[in-house]
Amino acid sequence: MTVVKDESGREGTDDKGDMPGGDDSYAPSERRLERERHKRARARRATAIAAVSTLVTAVVLYVVVVSAPGWERTKETFFDGHYAREAFPKVLEGLWLNIRLLLICGVLVLVLGMLIAVARTLRGPVFFPLRVLAAAYTDFFRGLPLIINLMIVVFGVPALRLQGVTVDPVWLGGTALTLTYSAYVAEVFRAGIESIHPSQRAAARSLGLTNRQALRHVVLPQAVRRQVPPLLNDLVSLQKDTGLVSIGGAIDAVRASDIIAQRALNYTPYIVAGLVFVALTIPMTRFTDWVTARMDRQRAQGGTT
């Protein structure tokens, strides 16, 4: 605020400096400017070091691999451009089966895993047999290797010659994947349910909710929200393991590459299939990391429980 005099000599005030358009604009101190310059310099230095380190590592790996005695033979066997171009469209065609398996089995795994987890957390002696069966299910299928489970289902079910039961390796392979991954997901859900403090359920009961309503409206929403990152990790693993249905003869990306490799006696199609799976998995993995970091920030700020 500035004191001024008008033409008659009376004193007054000039509020121009206090207004947004006045002359009192903010100017950072020299110390702050120096600190920001230092931060930018450190960031540029760190980026340069990382780039140089990455380049040196890549060059060293390239030299080590290329200078190996068997590199020429390995290059012909695993990195042949002709067979890569031949296998790529076939692998993509088979990948559509893997994607469909991921979508269908993923939904079934989430539903079945939730039901098993709820069964394991039911209270009261009347539910004791259900809790035992749910625990036995998770213990058995978590301990049984997936590849053995696939072989038992894909080859054992057709051998029974049951009426009305499919012998399609795609459906049988999907069933085996669902059985195994439901056990893992059930434990993820159960951990989330048991992480909810008992006071949450007690508060819901005090408001007049039944046990089922408290579980549905209070416990499960919080439990699922807490367990989103590990659930996404399980789905990433499921996406990769859909390639195992090829052991029953299903023509997926892995089987398509295997057919070309066996015919050409060249392993380049396997590399192509592997790179396709990696390209499909990386976005899911990065999305999982982003969700995890976002939820961590929200917890740190008190945004979620």
Side-chain angles (χ1 to χ4, degrees):
M1 181 178 297
T2 305
V3 178
V4 297
K5 293 183 179 181
D6 58 13
E7 294 180 354
S8 61
R10 290 179 297 180
E11 293 184 353
T13 58
D14 181 10
D15 295 332
K16 182 173 66 174
D18 296 334
M19 299 300 291
D23 297 332
D24 294 340
S25 58
Y26 169 75
S29 64
E30 184 62 29
R31 184 175 182 180
R32 178 171 181 177
L33 293 175
E34 180 63 27
R35 185 163 56 245
E36 291 178 353
R37 285 193 294 268
H38 179 66
K39 288 182 179 179
R40 289 193 295 269
R42 287 186 59 185
R44 289 193 296 267
R45 181 173 177 269
T47 302
I49 293 175
V52 172
S53 176
T54 302
L55 180 62
V56 170
T57 303
V59 170
V60 170
L61 290 176
Y62 176 80
V63 171
V64 170
V65 172
V66 173
S67 62
W71 165 243
E72 291 299 327
R73 180 59 178 169
T74 302
K75 181 181 178 181
E76 294 176 1
T77 306
F78 289 91
F79 302 100
D80 190 290
H82 170 72
Y83 293 114
R85 290 189 294 270
E86 179 184 352
F88 186 69
K90 298 295 184 181
V91 169
L92 285 184
E93 183 179 349
L95 185 66
W96 174 233
L97 174 60
N98 297 105
I99 294 176
R100 284 181 292 170
L101 280 172
L102 172 64
L103 296 177
I104 297 174
C105 294
V107 173
L108 294 176
V109 163
L110 292 175
V111 174
L112 184 57
M114 175 64 75
L115 293 176
I116 296 172
V118 171
R120 291 201 64 180
T121 57
L122 290 175
R123 301 178 179 182
V126 68
F127 296 114
F128 176 76
L130 191 59
R131 291 197 299 269
V132 170
L133 289 175
Y137 178 94
T138 56
D139 290 343
F140 179 78
F141 283 104
R142 289 178 71 198
L144 183 68
L146 175 59
I147 188 69
I148 295 179
N149 185 19
L150 279 162
M151 290 181 177
I152 292 174
V153 175
V154 172
F155 300 124
V157 172
L160 295 175
R161 299 181 181 179
L162 299 174
Q163 295 294 327
V165 178
T166 182
V167 295
D168 189 338
V170 175
W171 287 99
L172 295 177
T175 300
L177 289 172
T178 302
L179 291 174
T180 295
Y181 273 90
S182 295
Y184 288 99
V185 171
E187 286 299 282
V188 173
F189 279 132
R190 185 171 72 93
I193 293 173
E194 293 182 348
S195 69
I196 304 302
H197 197 274
S199 62
Q200 297 284 324
R201 192 188 297 264
R205 294 283 291 154
S206 67
L207 294 175
L209 275 67
T210 63
N211 279 325
R212 185 177 65 179
Q213 291 173 332
L215 179 66
R216 176 183 176 186
H217 298 291
V218 178
V219 176
L220 288 183
Q222 297 183 69
V224 172
R225 186 165 59 246
R226 289 183 176 184
Q227 299 304 99
V228 166
L231 288 174
L232 290 175
N233 282 326
D234 284 337
L235 290 180
V236 170
S237 298
L238 175 61
Q239 183 269 320
K240 295 182 295 182
D241 286 341
T242 55
L244 294 176
V245 299
S246 61
I247 65 173
I251 308 299
D252 69 328
V254 177
R255 183 59 177 167
S257 64
D258 183 64
I259 292 173
I260 300 175
Q262 295 297 329
R263 174 174 54 82
L265 298 178
N266 189 283
Y267 297 132
T268 303
Y270 292 136
I271 301 298
V272 174
L275 292 177
V276 168
F277 273 101
V278 170
L280 184 63
T281 302
I282 286 178
M284 297 177 63
T285 305
R286 295 287 76 80
F287 177 71
T288 301
D289 294 340
W290 176 81
V291 171
T292 303
R294 181 172 179 269
M295 294 187 68
D296 290 341
R297 289 194 301 268
Q298 289 179 341
R299 289 195 185 100
Q301 298 171 1
T304 61
T305 56

